[in-house]
Amino acid sequence: MYSDWMFILIIIAFIFSLWAQFRVKGTFNKWTKVENSTGMTGYDAARRMLDANGLHDVPIEPVPGALSDHYDPTKRVVRLSEPVYYERSISAVSVACHEVGHAIQHAEHYPMLVARHKMFPVVNIASGIAPFLLIAGFLFQAMNLVGLGIIFFSCAVAFQLVTLPVEFNASNRARQLMVQEGYIANDEERGVAKVLNAAALTYVAAALISLLELIRYIMIFTSNRD
């Protein structure tokens, strides 16, 4: 019975995830239509913030796609989607400065980012193996395989949970620096907050789904071991 309730919770979390994705796109598109008062493009804001924090050697590259923005710690480069790179909107500068927040975290050896980088090689392998172990274990009623699958899957869940403070910290850094350095006017901070908070919801939803799935697997495993 408890596994049925857990399944229902997972479905609710999945619906929440769909809503979060819908909201981040809607919020981004809404504030894309609002030009920031400084007239800076996403590239301009990112470059100024990098330079202000002594990261003159970190390049910024445009990449195709929408919301494909990210910071690559292996090559130490900020990559901005073309709309963010070239546009002068609230959305553009918000997303660009968020990615710079990750570059600053990297330079300062932010503990949670360091932990995520160290976890990544293991998680990359574990997340690929876990589904096969779980499927095989449940299919053949081999609880040892299920248990091993749960261990591997828990690595992926841990990675997503560690990602949450990394993302929230990057957004907080971006908002504070944007106001302090005058990249946005005070009355534009509300728009910045809406864009960054909407993006953060997608990470929360993904972590919640994975955590609930892990708990459900553990419940099924323990009930079959009794």
Side-chain angles (χ1 to χ4, degrees):
M1 177 65 90
Y2 51 73
S3 62
D4 293 337
W5 277 106
M6 187 57 64
F7 181 72
I8 292 172
L9 288 176
I10 292 172
I11 295 299
I12 293 173
F14 180 73
I15 294 172
F16 172 65
S17 176
L18 293 177
W19 173 80
Q21 292 177 31
F22 176 79
R23 185 183 177 192
V24 71
K25 290 179 181 178
T27 304
F28 181 85
N29 290 337
K30 175 183 177 180
W31 291 96
T32 292
K33 300 173 184 177
V34 181
E35 186 169 319
N36 65 76
S37 58
T38 62
M40 288 194 296
T41 63
Y43 168 81
D44 294 333
R47 186 70 270 161
R48 283 182 59 179
M49 189 172 287
L50 285 168
D51 292 345
N53 286 274
L55 300 177
H56 307 280
D57 58 336
V58 175
I60 307 169
E61 300 175 352
V63 293
L67 299 176
S68 52
D69 315 86
H70 63 279
Y71 170 69
D72 184 343
T74 59
K75 297 184 178 179
R76 296 187 72 243
V77 56
V78 173
R79 296 195 176 98
L80 303 178
S81 60
E82 291 178 347
V84 169
Y85 188 96
Y86 294 108
E87 290 181 1
R88 305 176 186 277
S89 66
I90 295 293
S91 289
V93 295
S94 300
V95 173
C97 290
H98 171 86
E99 298 308 331
V100 172
H102 288 308
I104 297 172
Q105 288 175 335
H106 192 190
E108 295 181 356
H109 304 288
Y110 176 59
M112 300 305 286
L113 185 69
V114 172
R116 189 173 73 166
H117 289 172
K118 290 181 177 179
M119 292 170 65
F120 181 76
V122 175
V123 171
N124 197 33
I125 297 172
S127 60
I129 297 175
F132 296 102
L133 290 172
L134 291 168
I135 291 172
F138 288 126
L139 185 63
F140 298 108
Q141 290 298 299
M143 287 299 106
N144 289 337
L145 286 180
V146 173
L148 190 59
I150 289 173
I151 292 173
F152 278 98
F153 186 65
S154 65
C155 294
V157 175
F159 182 81
Q160 288 186 314
L161 293 176
V162 168
T163 294
L164 292 180
V166 173
E167 294 299 328
F168 281 110
N169 179 266
S171 290
N172 288 336
R173 288 172 185 266
R175 287 175 61 182
Q176 291 174 8
L177 290 173
M178 289 170 76
V179 173
Q180 290 174 8
E181 302 297 329
Y183 299 175
I184 55 171
N186 288 334
D187 60 349
E188 294 174 327
E189 189 177 1
R190 182 177 68 91
V192 173
K194 286 185 175 294
V195 172
L196 296 180
N197 289 340
L201 277 179
T202 60
Y203 291 99
V204 172
L208 179 60
I209 290 174
S210 296
L211 182 60
L212 290 174
E213 286 180 342
L214 176 61
I215 294 172
R216 183 167 180 262
Y217 291 144
I218 292 173
M219 286 180 170
I220 295 173
F221 176 76
T222 54
S223 66
N224 280 274
R225 298 286 288 185
D226 294 337

